[in-house]
Amino acid sequence: MRIGIETGRASDHHGWSISSPDQPQAKAHRMALSNRVTSWGRRPLGRWGTLAMAMVVLLGPAWLFADSLASYRLVSDDFPYLAASRRLDRALENLFVPHNTHVVPSWRVLTWLVSAYAGTLADLQTTLAMASYGILATLMVLAWRFVALETGRSEIGLGAAIALGTTGLMHSAATWYSASQTLWAGFFILATLWYLQGWRRAGGGWRLVAAALAAVLAGGFWTIGHAAGPVGAVYLWSDGRPRCRRASVVPLLASVLAVGVALGLGRRGMSGPMVSVHGRTVSEAINLVQGLWHTLQAIPENLVIGNLGLATESTPTQGAVLTLLLALVWVGNLWKARRRPNPLECSGATLVLVSYYVEWSFRGYLPFSSLRGPIVPWYDSIPHIGAVLFAAGWWSGRPPDRLLRRLVPITRAGALVLLLFQTVLITLHQPRAEERFELSVPGMNAEEAKEYLIPALQRLRAVAVADLRVHWQRRHLTRLDQAEVVARRLGIDREAIRQAFGRVNVPGLPKIYDAADLLDLPRHGREHDLNRVRQALGPFFAMEPEPSLPLPSEFPPGLNPSDDLGMIR
């Protein structure tokens, strides 16, 4: 050991510095290790690594919504949509017939395709669950590519995909087929922007035609899909170049045409009082002033705080102040960076404002307190897409007048950060996802409340009850399939079934609908003897009693309820 008086070195208590000849080597070793780690992190992820990363990202929401997807049951609007599109001729007949004020020809055709793919009613549960989650995953892929090309960075695109799908705001749309029509509309809104982006980059009149067609299809899935036109127009206008501003009229005219056709062919079905607005007419339900206040409340409550997995309640004034503060922060950022808004920011903000304003204006007859939580959660789906586009544009800060043809690839370090980002989102949103799942089954009675005292047991109880109800409904759907075969052989039609049995019921069917409409049978047939109809089909239409889960104290000896709760019937 060498002892000497040297400044800047570690000293003993007498002030003498003590150094080791190995110290410079250790420091060099640490620097070399740091350089190797940094070099490793900066390397591109590679094709196979990117593919693996994509699979993890797309399966993240599946982990979040696993309970709801695994226990899919037909509910509410699933029944009338399927009944109206079970056969192609029915789908075409109902193409422009409004459902809850929505004229959705694209959705009618898609529902026929989904029903045809399922083949039988008993297979609809699995098929509808796959379709609901499948469109979310597809939307995430499109958002990834669109944002990556817009910002020039694949990591921002993948981050946008994660933020879009890994959130409780997508729970209803990703786990309920009828609510997934918002995702289909959102997909074609994004497809409109995708084609317009391609036109900005490379020109080609066919891309403008494709964008116009996508805008028309978007409105055919859900009414808010008609926002594709205004959003596409703003996207092109914000580019700033004269050619883009002239072309901005194309998607706008496409949506105007689609709205005109929908109103022209479907207006008669929306002229009177409607169930979806609690017996009001459309004109009585709409309140444009309340729609503005609801929009200002929804932005901070749902798109900001809700995206953190939290629930809060604000007053209209608080919502307006918080939204204004967010806008001021954004404008201040633009001023500090000395730039104007880029197309992502402009189109994203437009999608948020237009979609929320139309939705909440239509529900303006109700206070916002009556619309929170599980009432209309799918109303957040399309605004959330807009919020993700806006945030990605704000984060990138890219100028609006140029698009890069080469993307900055995802690095290994960037992939680790994105995986951490998705893990954090799953952790934040898991409690609310589990809460919503537990709300989808009947609540506990007094005896059950004494048995299931902790959250873990309550969740196990919810899983078991959901499984019981899935199989309960599936058995009835299987019998409907069998009834369909017998009725087709005997020439029995749906009208004869209605006359013989009245309303046919299955588990989960709302009282205003008839399960006989789900059958792939003509409206009129050759069999008119109602006694023969009852004798032939009566056993298939009998309702089983509602299943109940035995209490743990009632389980058979030796059965561990955690082993296979699904075996209890």
Side-chain angles (χ1 to χ4, degrees):
M1 180 173 291
R2 179 167 54 91
I3 301 178
I5 303 176
E6 301 179 13
T7 58
R9 300 204 179 184
S11 305
D12 63 7
H13 65 280
H14 295 295
W16 298 90
S17 67
I18 303 175
S19 62
S20 169
D22 296 332
Q23 192 176 50
Q25 296 180 5
K27 183 176 181 181
H29 178 73
R30 288 194 299 270
M31 291 182 62
L33 179 61
S34 176
N35 290 335
R36 284 198 298 270
V37 171
T38 302
S39 177
W40 180 89
R42 289 176 178 174
R43 292 177 188 172
L45 192 58
R47 178 179 301 176
W48 293 107
T50 301
L51 180 60
M53 180 75 181
M55 294 301 298
V56 171
V57 167
L58 295 179
L59 291 176
W63 175 276
L64 191 61
F65 309 140
D67 289 334
S68 297
L69 289 170
S71 59
Y72 191 95
R73 306 182 298 281
L74 276 67
V75 294
S76 190
D77 289 346
D78 286 347
F79 291 100
Y81 275 133
L82 288 165
S85 298
R86 183 75 200 283
R87 296 162 53 108
L88 180 58
D89 58 342
R90 282 196 229 171
L92 296 177
E93 180 184 344
N94 292 289
L95 209 59
F96 290 95
V97 174
H99 178 79
N100 292 344
T101 70
H102 297 287
V103 180
V104 286
S106 306
W107 182 249
R108 300 286 191 189
V109 174
L110 174 70
T111 302
W112 168 70
L113 291 172
V114 170
S115 177
Y117 177 81
T120 64
L121 295 175
D123 289 330
L124 278 173
Q125 293 173 327
T126 302
T127 304
L128 295 186
M130 292 170 54
S132 302
Y133 189 78
I135 184 57
L136 175 64
T138 306
L139 180 61
M140 291 170 66
V141 172
L142 182 58
W144 176 3
R145 188 63 178 168
F146 173 72
V147 172
L149 289 173
E150 195 71 29
T151 62
R153 296 180 59 187
S154 296
E155 290 174 1
I156 296 181
L158 189 54
I162 292 172
L164 193 151
T166 316
T167 171
L169 296 185
M170 290 297 191
H171 184 274
S172 292
T175 61
W176 179 27
Y177 177 73
S178 294
S180 73
Q181 64 185 133
T182 62
L183 296 183
W184 283 94
F187 174 83
F188 279 94
I189 291 173
L190 206 53
T192 302
L193 296 176
W194 164 265
Y195 285 117
L196 294 178
Q197 182 189 66
W199 183 82
R200 286 178 63 208
R201 290 165 55 91
W206 69 270
R207 291 188 175 91
L208 288 179
V209 174
L213 180 60
V216 171
L217 291 174
F221 283 102
W222 203 48
T223 300
I224 307 304
H226 291 301
V231 170
V234 169
Y235 173 79
L236 287 180
W237 187 271
S238 60
D239 179 281
R241 290 175 290 180
R243 63 184 287 268
C244 289
R245 292 192 169 182
R246 288 193 298 269
S248 65
V249 71
V250 173
L252 188 60
L253 287 179
S255 286
V256 170
L257 177 63
V259 170
V261 171
L263 289 178
L265 297 179
R267 178 178 297 176
R268 284 185 297 179
M270 296 185 289
S271 57
M274 307 195 75
V275 175
S276 62
V277 289
H278 303 89
R280 295 171 174 79
T281 63
V282 174
S283 58
E284 292 171 343
I286 292 177
N287 188 321
L288 299 180
V289 176
Q290 282 298 103
L292 176 60
W293 285 108
H294 289 2
T295 298
L296 296 177
Q297 280 187 269
I299 290 174
E301 280 195 26
N302 299 345
L303 298 185
V304 180
I305 299 174
N307 260 317
L308 298 175
L310 305 174
T312 188
E313 295 185 5
S314 65
T315 65
T317 303
Q318 290 173 329
V321 170
L322 291 173
T323 302
L324 179 61
L325 286 176
L326 178 62
L328 289 176
V329 171
W330 174 55
V331 171
N333 178 266
L334 294 177
W335 181 82
K336 183 178 180 181
R338 297 184 182 277
R339 68 175 182 89
R340 57 193 176 94
N342 59 47
L344 269 184
E345 292 170 298
C346 293
S347 57
T350 301
L351 184 55
V352 170
L353 295 175
V354 170
S355 54
Y356 260 159
Y357 184 62
V358 174
E359 291 170 347
W360 298 131
S361 293
F362 184 74
R363 295 289 181 180
Y365 65 94
L366 289 171
F368 195 72
S369 58
S370 299
L371 299 170
R372 289 190 179 99
I375 306 303
V376 283
W378 53 92
Y379 274 26
D380 294 320
S381 301
I382 293 179
H384 175 62
I385 297 172
V388 169
L389 297 182
F390 175 79
W394 189 355
W395 181 273
S396 71
R398 281 287 308 280
D401 56 349
R402 60 190 180 94
L403 286 170
L404 298 178
R405 294 184 179 273
R406 292 180 61 87
L407 298 179
V408 177
I410 300 173
T411 63
R412 295 173 178 178
L416 292 177
V417 172
L418 290 171
L419 288 176
L420 177 62
F421 175 49
Q422 186 169 43
T423 302
V424 169
L425 287 179
I426 291 175
T427 303
L428 290 175
H429 289 280
Q430 192 77 51
R432 292 193 69 187
E434 292 179 357
E435 179 185 3
R436 288 187 178 181
F437 167 69
E438 292 179 17
L439 289 175
S440 68
V441 300
M444 294 186 293
N445 55 35
E447 290 76 13
E448 288 178 321
K450 296 177 182 178
E451 299 276 356
Y452 304 106
L453 299 176
I454 60 176
L457 289 177
Q458 293 167 6
R459 180 184 172 279
L460 283 175
R461 179 253 176 201
V463 170
V465 172
D467 184 70
L468 287 175
R469 300 181 80 82
V470 167
H471 287 83
W472 181 42
Q473 184 182 79
R474 186 175 296 163
R475 288 193 295 273
H476 285 80
L477 293 176
T478 299
R479 287 201 288 270
L480 284 182
D481 286 325
Q482 296 167 347
E484 183 180 285
V485 173
V486 173
R488 190 179 293 117
R489 186 178 69 246
L490 299 178
I492 299 174
D493 57 89
R494 286 182 286 134
E495 186 60 34
I497 293 175
R498 186 170 289 107
Q499 292 177 8
F501 296 97
R503 174 180 177 270
V504 178
N505 194 20
V506 296
L509 181 71
K511 293 181 179 180
I512 60 175
Y513 301 124
D514 188 348
D517 291 330
L518 292 172
L519 301 176
D520 186 6
L521 299 173
R523 183 174 299 171
H524 302 290
R526 65 178 184 271
E527 179 58 69
H528 302 288
D529 187 336
L530 299 186
N531 288 328
R532 289 191 61 188
V533 173
R534 295 188 188 96
Q535 184 178 5
L537 302 182
F540 301 114
F541 296 153
M543 278 287 291
E544 295 180 11
E546 183 174 346
S548 60
L549 182 69
L551 294 174
S553 57
E554 300 172 351
F555 288 142
L559 175 64
N560 184 355
S562 63
D563 288 341
D564 191 357
L565 287 170
M567 294 182 62
I568 301 172
R569 295 286 180 266

